[in-house]
Amino acid sequence: MGKKIIIAGGGTGGHIFPAIAIANALKNQDPSVEILFIGAKGKMEMEKVPQSGYQIKGLDIAGFNRSSLIKNISLPFKLIRSFFQVRSIFKNFMPDAAIGVGGYSSFPVLRYAQQKRIPTFLHEANSFAGKTNQMLGRKATRVFVATGGMDKFFPVNKIKVTGNPVRASIVQAAIKRDDALRFFGLDPERKTVLSIGGSLGAKSINEAVEAGLSEFEKNDLQLIWQTGKPFAQRGKEAAKGHRGIWVDEFITRMENAYAAADLIISRAGAMAIAEICVVNKPVILVPYPHAAEDHQTVNARNLVGNNAALMITDKDAAQKLVPTVIALAKDQEMQKKLIENIKPLGLMDADDVVAKEVLSLIV
């Protein structure tokens, strides 16, 4: 009988897609493995995980709301309820191990597993570990991390450096640039900018791009613009009358977007960076300043310190982002340097390494 493994986490694509990559690697290495996902009700994992062929159970849980403290009144009750839900799920599924990839649902799932002495595995994607992961890491069987130097957050004997799992569709992509541009209805003869603010969008990036649409056009730059859902309608309205712009709330075929792009604008989430390193493209990072422990800025500075990316702060995006993009588009030497320096940072087998280690440690 195959092993049963729970994978918990979600909230954003940066948690969901690596989790699916790990699940796929587990199934490839041992087809008898049974996998159950646990996520937060109302979050995007409840849609994306079933689309990938896996079952998911939802918890009534939410994270701490930093912008409105009054919204946190019900948080303790949701957390308590989620523990009862987790207990019921574990009783029915009887897992041999639990893997946490970050997001609201990771904490109650891994905490309960640790109480029951079920092996737990943690994947920390960022260069700065959050408090919840630090707490869970103390009793974890193994902590998989993206970079070295994480012993200040986790017990050194539990750490394994793996990098971040990247979707197979991106790692294995063999799409020609011209074909990718035609997929978006764009001209293969023109230089193309890809703007991705994460699966939920990025206000500062979107507003800067919106204000700079005429400048892109004047400088003969095409644009693939993922706005996220909140900005989608506004972005589509702004794009009317401009040539060479593809705009939508979400890009389902990211492998095509990366293949089409000559340079990229992105937030500095760990998974976005992992994918950009793999596709090996010049990038301008705009870290989200309100991420826990400001980890996106730490992620971005790791690349900037290796001369592998440019960085614009969120508060400077309105004035500096579009001029920086245009200047980079004209600077072939800078593009070449960024490509050369980012290439060694792309790790393509993190999902296989994680899966192999998990399977070897489950008794």
Side-chain angles (χ1 to χ4, degrees):
M1 186 175 176
K3 298 297 182 183
K4 294 184 173 183
I5 299 174
I6 281 176
I7 301 179
T12 68
H15 292 139
I16 298 163
F17 296 126
I20 293 170
I22 292 170
N24 290 340
L26 286 165
K27 292 293 285 184
N28 287 338
Q29 293 182 27
D30 183 355
S32 70
V33 167
E34 291 184 54
I35 294 172
L36 175 66
F37 279 78
I38 298 179
K41 287 181 180 178
K43 296 298 181 180
M44 65 185 295
E45 60 264 29
M46 303 306 295
E47 176 186 352
K48 299 298 180 185
V49 168
Q51 287 175 356
S52 298
Y54 295 101
Q55 184 183 8
I56 186 168
K57 299 287 186 182
L59 304 181
D60 294 299
I61 191 168
F64 185 79
N65 192 309
R66 291 177 171 82
S67 61
S68 177
L69 295 180
I70 198 168
K71 292 182 179 179
N72 295 308
I73 291 175
S74 63
L75 194 58
F77 303 100
K78 288 182 177 179
L79 189 59
I80 292 168
R81 185 176 182 183
S82 73
F83 272 102
F84 282 108
Q85 291 171 325
V86 167
R87 185 175 69 176
S88 176
I89 293 168
F90 271 59
K91 184 178 179 181
N92 291 325
F93 188 68
M94 299 180 64
D96 296 291
I99 303 171
V101 295
Y104 304 146
S105 59
S106 277
F107 177 73
V109 172
L110 266 69
R111 193 68 164 171
Y112 185 81
Q114 289 173 351
Q115 289 172 0
K116 294 298 179 181
R117 301 188 182 280
I118 295 169
T120 59
F121 300 88
L122 193 65
H123 185 269
E124 175 54 68
N126 294 294
S127 305
F128 194 105
K131 293 289 192 295
T132 300
N133 275 359
Q134 290 181 49
M135 190 188 318
L136 292 169
R138 292 174 199 147
K139 293 185 178 180
T141 305
R142 185 73 79 242
V143 181
F144 304 109
V145 297
T147 62
M150 298 297 282
D151 52 328
K152 56 183 174 287
F153 303 115
F154 303 112
V156 67
N157 62 315
K158 295 179 182 289
I159 293 173
K160 186 175 182 69
V161 180
T162 62
N164 285 323
V166 174
R167 291 172 269 182
S169 60
I170 292 169
V171 172
Q172 299 167 8
I175 304 159
K176 290 184 170 58
R177 177 181 178 276
D178 288 9
D179 293 336
L181 283 163
R182 290 188 187 100
F183 175 84
F184 291 101
L186 298 175
D187 182 358
E189 298 301 317
R190 298 174 64 199
K191 188 156 283 190
T192 304
V193 177
L194 169 63
S195 179
I196 42 174
S199 54
L200 303 179
K203 188 172 183 286
S204 64
I205 292 176
N206 284 333
E207 289 180 347
V209 168
E210 177 188 36
L213 290 178
S214 296
E215 290 302 311
F216 282 123
E217 198 166 1
K218 284 178 192 174
N219 288 276
D220 201 30
L221 293 177
Q222 295 182 129
L223 178 65
I224 299 171
W225 185 12
Q226 177 183 287
T227 62
K229 193 169 186 177
F231 204 89
Q233 191 55 44
R234 180 171 160 183
K236 289 175 183 178
E237 289 294 326
K240 288 178 179 176
H242 295 279
R243 69 185 183 96
I245 300 176
W246 181 96
V247 56
D248 209 340
E249 64 183 69
F250 190 76
I251 300 173
T252 55
R253 298 284 297 274
M254 276 305 299
E255 63 272 24
N256 283 4
Y258 285 132
D262 294 297
L263 53 127
I264 298 170
I265 303 166
S266 178
R267 284 297 197 198
M271 296 318 306
I273 286 178
E275 291 181 354
I276 292 165
C277 288
V278 165
V279 300
N280 194 23
K281 296 290 175 82
V283 61
I284 299 167
L285 298 170
V286 185
Y288 177 58
H290 305 298
E293 285 82 34
D294 198 20
H295 66 253
Q296 287 207 9
T297 299
V298 177
N299 293 342
R301 283 178 178 158
N302 280 345
L303 261 67
V304 173
N306 284 291
N307 293 316
L310 302 181
M311 184 178 85
I312 302 289
T313 65
D314 193 78
K315 64 182 177 62
D316 289 336
Q319 286 75 38
K320 295 183 178 180
L321 181 57
V322 171
T324 302
V325 171
I326 292 169
L328 180 58
K330 294 176 179 178
D331 191 338
Q332 297 297 325
E333 284 302 310
M334 176 62 78
Q335 290 177 49
K336 184 179 178 182
K337 183 176 80 169
L338 293 176
I339 290 170
E340 286 174 354
N341 292 333
I342 203 171
K343 188 174 183 178
L345 304 178
L347 301 173
M348 301 190 185
D349 63 347
D351 50 347
D352 289 324
V353 174
V354 169
K356 184 178 181 180
E357 187 82 358
V358 168
L359 291 172
S360 71
L361 291 171
I362 298 176
V363 179

